[in-house]
PDB file of all heavy atoms in Angstrom:
ATOM      1  N   ARG A 117      87.587 -19.118 287.414  1.00 98.00           N
ATOM      2  CA  ARG A 117      87.861 -18.292 288.593  1.00 98.00           C
ATOM      3  C   ARG A 117      87.649 -19.058 289.898  1.00 98.00           C
ATOM      4  O   ARG A 117      88.340 -18.784 290.884  1.00 98.00           O
ATOM      5  CB  ARG A 117      86.958 -17.057 288.590  1.00 98.00           C
ATOM      6  CG  ARG A 117      87.138 -16.172 287.393  1.00 98.00           C
ATOM      7  CD  ARG A 117      86.352 -14.867 287.542  1.00 98.00           C
ATOM      8  NE  ARG A 117      84.907 -15.083 287.645  1.00 98.00           N
ATOM      9  CZ  ARG A 117      84.173 -14.707 288.693  1.00 98.00           C
ATOM     10  NH1 ARG A 117      84.733 -14.090 289.710  1.00 98.00           N
ATOM     11  NH2 ARG A 117      82.864 -14.921 288.683  1.00 98.00           N
ATOM     12  N   PHE A 118      86.696 -19.966 289.926  1.00 98.00           N
ATOM     13  CA  PHE A 118      86.366 -20.736 291.122  1.00 98.00           C
ATOM     14  C   PHE A 118      86.851 -22.171 290.954  1.00 98.00           C
ATOM     15  O   PHE A 118      86.879 -22.699 289.841  1.00 98.00           O
ATOM     16  CB  PHE A 118      84.862 -20.749 291.366  1.00 98.00           C
ATOM     17  CG  PHE A 118      84.253 -19.447 291.793  1.00 98.00           C
ATOM     18  CD1 PHE A 118      84.961 -18.253 291.732  1.00 98.00           C
ATOM     19  CD2 PHE A 118      82.948 -19.413 292.269  1.00 98.00           C
ATOM     20  CE1 PHE A 118      84.392 -17.058 292.120  1.00 98.00           C
ATOM     21  CE2 PHE A 118      82.357 -18.223 292.659  1.00 98.00           C
ATOM     22  CZ  PHE A 118      83.083 -17.047 292.579  1.00 98.00           C
ATOM     23  N   ALA A 119      87.189 -22.784 292.072  1.00 98.00           N
ATOM     24  CA  ALA A 119      87.589 -24.187 292.057  1.00 98.00           C
ATOM     25  C   ALA A 119      86.948 -24.896 293.247  1.00 98.00           C
ATOM     26  O   ALA A 119      87.115 -24.460 294.391  1.00 98.00           O
ATOM     27  CB  ALA A 119      89.099 -24.318 292.116  1.00 98.00           C
ATOM     28  N   ILE A 120      86.240 -25.971 292.954  1.00 98.00           N
ATOM     29  CA  ILE A 120      85.604 -26.768 294.010  1.00 98.00           C
ATOM     30  C   ILE A 120      86.461 -27.995 294.272  1.00 98.00           C
ATOM     31  O   ILE A 120      87.031 -28.576 293.346  1.00 98.00           O
ATOM     32  CB  ILE A 120      84.160 -27.150 293.619  1.00 98.00           C
ATOM     33  CG1 ILE A 120      83.423 -27.757 294.797  1.00 98.00           C
ATOM     34  CG2 ILE A 120      84.145 -28.066 292.400  1.00 98.00           C
ATOM     35  CD1 ILE A 120      81.909 -27.933 294.539  1.00 98.00           C
ATOM     36  N   SER A 121      86.566 -28.364 295.526  1.00 95.00           N
ATOM     37  CA  SER A 121      87.344 -29.551 295.886  1.00 95.00           C
ATOM     38  C   SER A 121      86.741 -30.155 297.142  1.00 95.00           C
ATOM     39  O   SER A 121      85.906 -29.533 297.801  1.00 95.00           O
ATOM     40  CB  SER A 121      88.814 -29.197 296.108  1.00 95.00           C
ATOM     41  OG  SER A 121      88.955 -28.280 297.184  1.00 95.00           O
ATOM     42  N   ARG A 122      87.179 -31.360 297.455  1.00 93.00           N
ATOM     43  CA  ARG A 122      86.657 -32.010 298.659  1.00 93.00           C
ATOM     44  C   ARG A 122      87.768 -32.774 299.348  1.00 93.00           C
ATOM     45  O   ARG A 122      88.681 -33.288 298.707  1.00 93.00           O
ATOM     46  CB  ARG A 122      85.467 -32.906 298.325  1.00 93.00           C
ATOM     47  CG  ARG A 122      85.774 -34.113 297.458  1.00 93.00           C
ATOM     48  CD  ARG A 122      84.480 -34.729 296.927  1.00 93.00           C
ATOM     49  NE  ARG A 122      83.529 -35.031 297.987  1.00 93.00           N
ATOM     50  CZ  ARG A 122      82.225 -35.246 297.790  1.00 93.00           C
ATOM     51  NH1 ARG A 122      81.729 -35.203 296.565  1.00 93.00           N
ATOM     52  NH2 ARG A 122      81.433 -35.524 298.799  1.00 93.00           N
ATOM     53  N   ASP A 123      87.653 -32.828 300.665  1.00 91.00           N
ATOM     54  CA  ASP A 123      88.548 -33.619 301.511  1.00 91.00           C
ATOM     55  C   ASP A 123      87.666 -34.601 302.255  1.00 91.00           C
ATOM     56  O   ASP A 123      87.063 -34.252 303.278  1.00 91.00           O
ATOM     57  CB  ASP A 123      89.319 -32.706 302.464  1.00 91.00           C
ATOM     58  CG  ASP A 123      90.349 -33.454 303.296  1.00 91.00           C
ATOM     59  OD1 ASP A 123      90.221 -34.682 303.438  1.00 91.00           O
ATOM     60  OD2 ASP A 123      91.270 -32.794 303.820  1.00 91.00           O
ATOM     61  N   ASN A 124      87.572 -35.798 301.739  1.00 88.00           N
ATOM     62  CA  ASN A 124      86.658 -36.767 302.325  1.00 88.00           C
ATOM     63  C   ASN A 124      87.078 -37.177 303.742  1.00 88.00           C
ATOM     64  O   ASN A 124      86.238 -37.549 304.554  1.00 88.00           O
ATOM     65  CB  ASN A 124      86.532 -37.995 301.427  1.00 88.00           C
ATOM     66  CG  ASN A 124      85.725 -37.689 300.174  1.00 88.00           C
ATOM     67  OD1 ASN A 124      84.991 -36.702 300.122  1.00 88.00           O
ATOM     68  ND2 ASN A 124      85.866 -38.515 299.158  1.00 88.00           N
ATOM     69  N   ALA A 125      88.347 -37.092 304.037  1.00 89.00           N
ATOM     70  CA  ALA A 125      88.812 -37.430 305.386  1.00 89.00           C
ATOM     71  C   ALA A 125      88.259 -36.440 306.409  1.00 89.00           C
ATOM     72  O   ALA A 125      88.117 -36.772 307.594  1.00 89.00           O
ATOM     73  CB  ALA A 125      90.324 -37.441 305.430  1.00 89.00           C
ATOM     74  N   LYS A 126      87.960 -35.236 305.942  1.00 91.00           N
ATOM     75  CA  LYS A 126      87.435 -34.208 306.840  1.00 91.00           C
ATOM     76  C   LYS A 126      85.950 -33.954 306.614  1.00 91.00           C
ATOM     77  O   LYS A 126      85.387 -33.030 307.216  1.00 91.00           O
ATOM     78  CB  LYS A 126      88.214 -32.903 306.650  1.00 91.00           C
ATOM     79  CG  LYS A 126      89.688 -32.997 307.022  1.00 91.00           C
ATOM     80  CD  LYS A 126      90.386 -31.665 306.844  1.00 91.00           C
ATOM     81  CE  LYS A 126      91.853 -31.753 307.260  1.00 91.00           C
ATOM     82  NZ  LYS A 126      92.558 -30.452 307.066  1.00 91.00           N
ATOM     83  N   ASN A 127      85.317 -34.728 305.734  1.00 91.00           N
ATOM     84  CA  ASN A 127      83.898 -34.518 305.407  1.00 91.00           C
ATOM     85  C   ASN A 127      83.638 -33.063 305.016  1.00 91.00           C
ATOM     86  O   ASN A 127      82.626 -32.472 305.409  1.00 91.00           O
ATOM     87  CB  ASN A 127      83.005 -34.884 306.600  1.00 91.00           C
ATOM     88  CG  ASN A 127      83.117 -36.331 307.004  1.00 91.00           C
ATOM     89  OD1 ASN A 127      83.557 -37.166 306.225  1.00 91.00           O
ATOM     90  ND2 ASN A 127      82.735 -36.635 308.231  1.00 91.00           N
ATOM     91  N   THR A 128      84.527 -32.500 304.224  1.00 93.00           N
ATOM     92  CA  THR A 128      84.450 -31.080 303.907  1.00 93.00           C
ATOM     93  C   THR A 128      84.615 -30.853 302.404  1.00 93.00           C
ATOM     94  O   THR A 128      85.442 -31.508 301.758  1.00 93.00           O
ATOM     95  CB  THR A 128      85.534 -30.296 304.672  1.00 93.00           C
ATOM     96  OG1 THR A 128      85.340 -30.491 306.072  1.00 93.00           O
ATOM     97  CG2 THR A 128      85.445 -28.805 304.375  1.00 93.00           C
ATOM     98  N   VAL A 129      83.814 -29.930 301.901  1.00 95.00           N
ATOM     99  CA  VAL A 129      83.920 -29.487 300.508  1.00 95.00           C
ATOM    100  C   VAL A 129      84.289 -28.011 300.525  1.00 95.00           C
ATOM    101  O   VAL A 129      83.749 -27.242 301.324  1.00 95.00           O
ATOM    102  CB  VAL A 129      82.607 -29.714 299.748  1.00 95.00           C
ATOM    103  CG1 VAL A 129      82.670 -29.110 298.352  1.00 95.00           C
ATOM    104  CG2 VAL A 129      82.300 -31.209 299.661  1.00 95.00           C
ATOM    105  N   TYR A 130      85.209 -27.630 299.646  1.00 97.00           N
ATOM    106  CA  TYR A 130      85.700 -26.265 299.594  1.00 97.00           C
ATOM    107  C   TYR A 130      85.308 -25.593 298.276  1.00 97.00           C
ATOM    108  O   TYR A 130      85.101 -26.248 297.264  1.00 97.00           O
ATOM    109  CB  TYR A 130      87.225 -26.239 299.718  1.00 97.00           C
ATOM    110  CG  TYR A 130      87.756 -26.907 300.956  1.00 97.00           C
ATOM    111  CD1 TYR A 130      88.226 -28.224 300.926  1.00 97.00           C
ATOM    112  CD2 TYR A 130      87.769 -26.234 302.178  1.00 97.00           C
ATOM    113  CE1 TYR A 130      88.712 -28.839 302.071  1.00 97.00           C
ATOM    114  CE2 TYR A 130      88.251 -26.841 303.320  1.00 97.00           C
ATOM    115  CZ  TYR A 130      88.717 -28.149 303.257  1.00 97.00           C
ATOM    116  OH  TYR A 130      89.184 -28.751 304.402  1.00 97.00           O
ATOM    117  N   LEU A 131      85.254 -24.277 298.330  1.00 98.00           N
ATOM    118  CA  LEU A 131      85.096 -23.485 297.118  1.00 98.00           C
ATOM    119  C   LEU A 131      86.129 -22.368 297.169  1.00 98.00           C
ATOM    120  O   LEU A 131      85.993 -21.442 297.966  1.00 98.00           O
ATOM    121  CB  LEU A 131      83.690 -22.905 296.984  1.00 98.00           C
ATOM    122  CG  LEU A 131      83.430 -22.183 295.663  1.00 98.00           C
ATOM    123  CD1 LEU A 131      83.415 -23.172 294.494  1.00 98.00           C
ATOM    124  CD2 LEU A 131      82.097 -21.424 295.720  1.00 98.00           C
ATOM    125  N   GLN A 132      87.168 -22.507 296.365  1.00 98.00           N
ATOM    126  CA  GLN A 132      88.176 -21.462 296.250  1.00 98.00           C
ATOM    127  C   GLN A 132      87.705 -20.463 295.206  1.00 98.00           C
ATOM    128  O   GLN A 132      87.455 -20.832 294.055  1.00 98.00           O
ATOM    129  CB  GLN A 132      89.522 -22.059 295.840  1.00 98.00           C
ATOM    130  CG  GLN A 132      90.619 -21.044 295.636  1.00 98.00           C
ATOM    131  CD  GLN A 132      91.036 -20.350 296.923  1.00 98.00           C
ATOM    132  OE1 GLN A 132      91.179 -20.985 297.968  1.00 98.00           O
ATOM    133  NE2 GLN A 132      91.216 -19.031 296.866  1.00 98.00           N
ATOM    134  N   MET A 133      87.582 -19.221 295.614  1.00 98.00           N
ATOM    135  CA  MET A 133      87.061 -18.181 294.725  1.00 98.00           C
ATOM    136  C   MET A 133      88.147 -17.131 294.501  1.00 98.00           C
ATOM    137  O   MET A 133      88.595 -16.489 295.459  1.00 98.00           O
ATOM    138  CB  MET A 133      85.821 -17.535 295.349  1.00 98.00           C
ATOM    139  CG  MET A 133      84.746 -18.536 295.712  1.00 98.00           C
ATOM    140  SD  MET A 133      83.213 -17.746 296.263  1.00 98.00           S
ATOM    141  CE  MET A 133      83.770 -16.924 297.740  1.00 98.00           C
ATOM    142  N   ASN A 134      88.561 -17.001 293.275  1.00 98.00           N
ATOM    143  CA  ASN A 134      89.593 -16.036 292.893  1.00 98.00           C
ATOM    144  C   ASN A 134      89.023 -15.005 291.927  1.00 98.00           C
ATOM    145  O   ASN A 134      87.952 -15.206 291.355  1.00 98.00           O
ATOM    146  CB  ASN A 134      90.774 -16.752 292.243  1.00 98.00           C
ATOM    147  CG  ASN A 134      91.423 -17.778 293.146  1.00 98.00           C
ATOM    148  OD1 ASN A 134      91.537 -17.587 294.361  1.00 98.00           O
ATOM    149  ND2 ASN A 134      91.854 -18.885 292.566  1.00 98.00           N
ATOM    150  N   SER A 135      89.747 -13.917 291.772  1.00 98.00           N
ATOM    151  CA  SER A 135      89.330 -12.855 290.836  1.00 98.00           C
ATOM    152  C   SER A 135      87.877 -12.473 291.054  1.00 98.00           C
ATOM    153  O   SER A 135      87.093 -12.367 290.102  1.00 98.00           O
ATOM    154  CB  SER A 135      89.558 -13.306 289.389  1.00 98.00           C
ATOM    155  OG  SER A 135      90.912 -13.641 289.174  1.00 98.00           O
ATOM    156  N   LEU A 136      87.529 -12.266 292.296  1.00 98.00           N
ATOM    157  CA  LEU A 136      86.130 -11.989 292.644  1.00 98.00           C
ATOM    158  C   LEU A 136      85.650 -10.678 292.045  1.00 98.00           C
ATOM    159  O   LEU A 136      86.420  -9.704 291.932  1.00 98.00           O
ATOM    160  CB  LEU A 136      85.957 -11.989 294.156  1.00 98.00           C
ATOM    161  CG  LEU A 136      85.916 -13.391 294.776  1.00 98.00           C
ATOM    162  CD1 LEU A 136      86.210 -13.344 296.266  1.00 98.00           C
ATOM    163  CD2 LEU A 136      84.570 -14.047 294.511  1.00 98.00           C
ATOM    164  N   LYS A 137      84.383 -10.687 291.674  1.00 98.00           N
ATOM    165  CA  LYS A 137      83.739  -9.527 291.058  1.00 98.00           C
ATOM    166  C   LYS A 137      82.558  -9.088 291.923  1.00 98.00           C
ATOM    167  O   LYS A 137      81.994  -9.912 292.656  1.00 98.00           O
ATOM    168  CB  LYS A 137      83.227  -9.902 289.665  1.00 98.00           C
ATOM    169  CG  LYS A 137      84.282 -10.464 288.733  1.00 98.00           C
ATOM    170  CD  LYS A 137      83.645 -10.907 287.416  1.00 98.00           C
ATOM    171  CE  LYS A 137      84.673 -11.480 286.456  1.00 98.00           C
ATOM    172  NZ  LYS A 137      84.054 -11.910 285.173  1.00 98.00           N
ATOM    173  N   PRO A 138      82.152  -7.843 291.802  1.00 98.00           N
ATOM    174  CA  PRO A 138      80.981  -7.401 292.573  1.00 98.00           C
ATOM    175  C   PRO A 138      79.749  -8.270 292.321  1.00 98.00           C
ATOM    176  O   PRO A 138      78.954  -8.495 293.246  1.00 98.00           O
ATOM    177  CB  PRO A 138      80.775  -5.966 292.083  1.00 98.00           C
ATOM    178  CG  PRO A 138      82.143  -5.506 291.702  1.00 98.00           C
ATOM    179  CD  PRO A 138      82.803  -6.724 291.110  1.00 98.00           C
ATOM    180  N   GLU A 139      79.612  -8.784 291.124  1.00 97.00           N
ATOM    181  CA  GLU A 139      78.455  -9.634 290.826  1.00 97.00           C
ATOM    182  C   GLU A 139      78.519 -11.007 291.484  1.00 97.00           C
ATOM    183  O   GLU A 139      77.561 -11.779 291.402  1.00 97.00           O
ATOM    184  CB  GLU A 139      78.271  -9.790 289.306  1.00 97.00           C
ATOM    185  CG  GLU A 139      79.509 -10.222 288.549  1.00 97.00           C
ATOM    186  CD  GLU A 139      80.256  -9.044 287.945  1.00 97.00           C
ATOM    187  OE1 GLU A 139      80.413  -8.003 288.621  1.00 97.00           O
ATOM    188  OE2 GLU A 139      80.700  -9.175 286.780  1.00 97.00           O
ATOM    189  N   ASP A 140      79.624 -11.328 292.139  1.00 98.00           N
ATOM    190  CA  ASP A 140      79.712 -12.567 292.921  1.00 98.00           C
ATOM    191  C   ASP A 140      79.113 -12.386 294.322  1.00 98.00           C
ATOM    192  O   ASP A 140      78.999 -13.361 295.069  1.00 98.00           O
ATOM    193  CB  ASP A 140      81.169 -13.009 293.062  1.00 98.00           C
ATOM    194  CG  ASP A 140      81.796 -13.408 291.735  1.00 98.00           C
ATOM    195  OD1 ASP A 140      81.118 -14.077 290.934  1.00 98.00           O
ATOM    196  OD2 ASP A 140      82.971 -13.031 291.501  1.00 98.00           O
ATOM    197  N   THR A 141      78.735 -11.167 294.653  1.00 98.00           N
ATOM    198  CA  THR A 141      78.132 -10.903 295.958  1.00 98.00           C
ATOM    199  C   THR A 141      76.836 -11.686 296.114  1.00 98.00           C
ATOM    200  O   THR A 141      75.944 -11.594 295.269  1.00 98.00           O
ATOM    201  CB  THR A 141      77.868  -9.399 296.132  1.00 98.00           C
ATOM    202  OG1 THR A 141      79.117  -8.703 296.133  1.00 98.00           O
ATOM    203  CG2 THR A 141      77.124  -9.123 297.423  1.00 98.00           C
ATOM    204  N   ALA A 142      76.759 -12.481 297.173  1.00 98.00           N
ATOM    205  CA  ALA A 142      75.600 -13.341 297.389  1.00 98.00           C
ATOM    206  C   ALA A 142      75.793 -14.094 298.704  1.00 98.00           C
ATOM    207  O   ALA A 142      76.878 -14.070 299.292  1.00 98.00           O
ATOM    208  CB  ALA A 142      75.455 -14.346 296.245  1.00 98.00           C
ATOM    209  N   VAL A 143      74.737 -14.772 299.116  1.00 98.00           N
ATOM    210  CA  VAL A 143      74.863 -15.767 300.183  1.00 98.00           C
ATOM    211  C   VAL A 143      75.159 -17.097 299.506  1.00 98.00           C
ATOM    212  O   VAL A 143      74.459 -17.491 298.568  1.00 98.00           O
ATOM    213  CB  VAL A 143      73.586 -15.857 301.037  1.00 98.00           C
ATOM    214  CG1 VAL A 143      73.764 -16.915 302.122  1.00 98.00           C
ATOM    215  CG2 VAL A 143      73.257 -14.508 301.648  1.00 98.00           C
ATOM    216  N   TYR A 144      76.197 -17.755 299.962  1.00 98.00           N
ATOM    217  CA  TYR A 144      76.634 -19.017 299.377  1.00 98.00           C
ATOM    218  C   TYR A 144      76.226 -20.174 300.281  1.00 98.00           C
ATOM    219  O   TYR A 144      76.419 -20.125 301.504  1.00 98.00           O
ATOM    220  CB  TYR A 144      78.146 -19.017 299.168  1.00 98.00           C
ATOM    221  CG  TYR A 144      78.564 -18.179 297.978  1.00 98.00           C
ATOM    222  CD1 TYR A 144      78.487 -16.789 298.022  1.00 98.00           C
ATOM    223  CD2 TYR A 144      79.028 -18.772 296.806  1.00 98.00           C
ATOM    224  CE1 TYR A 144      78.846 -16.009 296.923  1.00 98.00           C
ATOM    225  CE2 TYR A 144      79.403 -18.007 295.699  1.00 98.00           C
ATOM    226  CZ  TYR A 144      79.300 -16.633 295.779  1.00 98.00           C
ATOM    227  OH  TYR A 144      79.660 -15.876 294.693  1.00 98.00           O
ATOM    228  N   TYR A 145      75.681 -21.212 299.659  1.00 98.00           N
ATOM    229  CA  TYR A 145      75.201 -22.399 300.369  1.00 98.00           C
ATOM    230  C   TYR A 145      75.825 -23.645 299.741  1.00 98.00           C
ATOM    231  O   TYR A 145      76.135 -23.671 298.551  1.00 98.00           O
ATOM    232  CB  TYR A 145      73.687 -22.547 300.226  1.00 98.00           C
ATOM    233  CG  TYR A 145      72.863 -21.369 300.673  1.00 98.00           C
ATOM    234  CD1 TYR A 145      72.594 -20.310 299.818  1.00 98.00           C
ATOM    235  CD2 TYR A 145      72.305 -21.327 301.955  1.00 98.00           C
ATOM    236  CE1 TYR A 145      71.816 -19.239 300.209  1.00 98.00           C
ATOM    237  CE2 TYR A 145      71.515 -20.264 302.359  1.00 98.00           C
ATOM    238  CZ  TYR A 145      71.280 -19.230 301.480  1.00 98.00           C
ATOM    239  OH  TYR A 145      70.497 -18.165 301.884  1.00 98.00           O
ATOM    240  N   CYS A 146      75.949 -24.666 300.545  1.00 96.00           N
ATOM    241  CA  CYS A 146      76.272 -25.970 299.985  1.00 96.00           C
ATOM    242  C   CYS A 146      75.084 -26.895 300.213  1.00 96.00           C
ATOM    243  O   CYS A 146      74.269 -26.692 301.122  1.00 96.00           O
ATOM    244  CB  CYS A 146      77.543 -26.556 300.588  1.00 96.00           C
ATOM    245  SG  CYS A 146      77.479 -26.856 302.358  1.00 96.00           S
ATOM    246  N   ASN A 147      74.998 -27.895 299.372  1.00 95.00           N
ATOM    247  CA  ASN A 147      73.917 -28.868 299.442  1.00 95.00           C
ATOM    248  C   ASN A 147      74.314 -30.007 298.526  1.00 95.00           C
ATOM    249  O   ASN A 147      75.288 -29.930 297.777  1.00 95.00           O
ATOM    250  CB  ASN A 147      72.600 -28.243 298.978  1.00 95.00           C
ATOM    251  CG  ASN A 147      71.376 -28.984 299.475  1.00 95.00           C
ATOM    252  OD1 ASN A 147      71.367 -30.204 299.589  1.00 95.00           O
ATOM    253  ND2 ASN A 147      70.333 -28.241 299.810  1.00 95.00           N
ATOM    254  N   THR A 148      73.549 -31.055 298.586  1.00 94.00           N
ATOM    255  CA  THR A 148      73.763 -32.108 297.620  1.00 94.00           C
ATOM    256  C   THR A 148      73.340 -31.605 296.242  1.00 94.00           C
ATOM    257  O   THR A 148      72.716 -30.554 296.109  1.00 94.00           O
ATOM    258  CB  THR A 148      72.948 -33.354 297.992  1.00 94.00           C
ATOM    259  OG1 THR A 148      71.565 -32.974 298.095  1.00 94.00           O
ATOM    260  CG2 THR A 148      73.410 -33.932 299.311  1.00 94.00           C
ATOM    261  N   TRP A 149      73.690 -32.357 295.210  1.00 95.00           N
ATOM    262  CA  TRP A 149      73.192 -32.067 293.867  1.00 95.00           C
ATOM    263  C   TRP A 149      72.569 -33.339 293.313  1.00 95.00           C
ATOM    264  O   TRP A 149      73.252 -34.367 293.251  1.00 95.00           O
ATOM    265  CB  TRP A 149      74.307 -31.589 292.945  1.00 95.00           C
ATOM    266  CG  TRP A 149      73.760 -31.218 291.605  1.00 95.00           C
ATOM    267  CD1 TRP A 149      73.226 -30.012 291.225  1.00 95.00           C
ATOM    268  CD2 TRP A 149      73.646 -32.074 290.467  1.00 95.00           C
ATOM    269  NE1 TRP A 149      72.786 -30.063 289.927  1.00 95.00           N
ATOM    270  CE2 TRP A 149      73.019 -31.302 289.444  1.00 95.00           C
ATOM    271  CE3 TRP A 149      73.986 -33.392 290.226  1.00 95.00           C
ATOM    272  CZ2 TRP A 149      72.756 -31.832 288.194  1.00 95.00           C
ATOM    273  CZ3 TRP A 149      73.719 -33.920 288.965  1.00 95.00           C
ATOM    274  CH2 TRP A 149      73.111 -33.145 287.967  1.00 95.00           C
ATOM    275  N   PRO A 150      71.286 -33.305 292.963  1.00 94.00           N
ATOM    276  CA  PRO A 150      70.365 -32.190 293.122  1.00 94.00           C
ATOM    277  C   PRO A 150      70.172 -31.827 294.603  1.00 94.00           C
ATOM    278  O   PRO A 150      70.422 -32.656 295.469  1.00 94.00           O
ATOM    279  CB  PRO A 150      69.052 -32.712 292.519  1.00 94.00           C
ATOM    280  CG  PRO A 150      69.405 -33.928 291.730  1.00 94.00           C
ATOM    281  CD  PRO A 150      70.632 -34.492 292.369  1.00 94.00           C
ATOM    282  N   PRO A 151      69.753 -30.637 294.861  1.00 95.00           N
ATOM    283  CA  PRO A 151      69.633 -30.199 296.260  1.00 95.00           C
ATOM    284  C   PRO A 151      68.459 -30.853 296.971  1.00 95.00           C
ATOM    285  O   PRO A 151      67.447 -31.191 296.364  1.00 95.00           O
ATOM    286  CB  PRO A 151      69.424 -28.694 296.145  1.00 95.00           C
ATOM    287  CG  PRO A 151      68.787 -28.497 294.810  1.00 95.00           C
ATOM    288  CD  PRO A 151      69.395 -29.543 293.924  1.00 95.00           C
ATOM    289  N   SER A 152      68.620 -30.999 298.266  1.00 93.00           N
ATOM    290  CA  SER A 152      67.576 -31.514 299.138  1.00 93.00           C
ATOM    291  C   SER A 152      67.126 -30.408 300.073  1.00 93.00           C
ATOM    292  O   SER A 152      67.961 -29.702 300.647  1.00 93.00           O
ATOM    293  CB  SER A 152      68.107 -32.686 299.959  1.00 93.00           C
ATOM    294  OG  SER A 152      67.189 -33.029 300.980  1.00 93.00           O
ATOM    295  N   THR A 153      65.817 -30.270 300.222  1.00 93.00           N
ATOM    296  CA  THR A 153      65.311 -29.234 301.121  1.00 93.00           C
ATOM    297  C   THR A 153      65.774 -29.457 302.550  1.00 93.00           C
ATOM    298  O   THR A 153      65.830 -28.519 303.346  1.00 93.00           O
ATOM    299  CB  THR A 153      63.772 -29.191 301.080  1.00 93.00           C
ATOM    300  OG1 THR A 153      63.263 -30.493 301.383  1.00 93.00           O
ATOM    301  CG2 THR A 153      63.282 -28.777 299.699  1.00 93.00           C
ATOM    302  N   ALA A 154      66.115 -30.704 302.875  1.00 91.00           N
ATOM    303  CA  ALA A 154      66.524 -31.019 304.250  1.00 91.00           C
ATOM    304  C   ALA A 154      67.897 -30.460 304.591  1.00 91.00           C
ATOM    305  O   ALA A 154      68.241 -30.369 305.773  1.00 91.00           O
ATOM    306  CB  ALA A 154      66.524 -32.526 304.449  1.00 91.00           C
TER     307      ALA A 154
END
C-alpha cells in the first residue's frame, strides 16, 4: 500500500500512501535508520 522513494537532487524522501485505513492514523516522522535522537 505504501511506497517510499527519494530524490537525491532535492534532498527529499517521499512516502506515497495508498488504500489508507483508519489504523494508519498517526503522526508520521522521518529520520535516519537506525534513528538518531538529533
Side-chain angles (χ1 to χ4, degrees):
R117 300 188 298 120
F118 290 11
I120 190 170
S121 62
R122 66 193 307 162
D123 185 339
N124 287 342
K126 296 181 178 179
N127 298 340
T128 301
V129 174
Y130 303 98
L131 186 68
Q132 177 67 43
M133 305 187 296
N134 301 323
S135 302
L136 283 161
K137 304 175 180 180
E139 51 264 43
D140 294 319
T141 296
V143 179
Y144 284 71
Y145 304 86
C146 62
N147 201 324
T148 56
W149 184 86
S152 169
T153 55

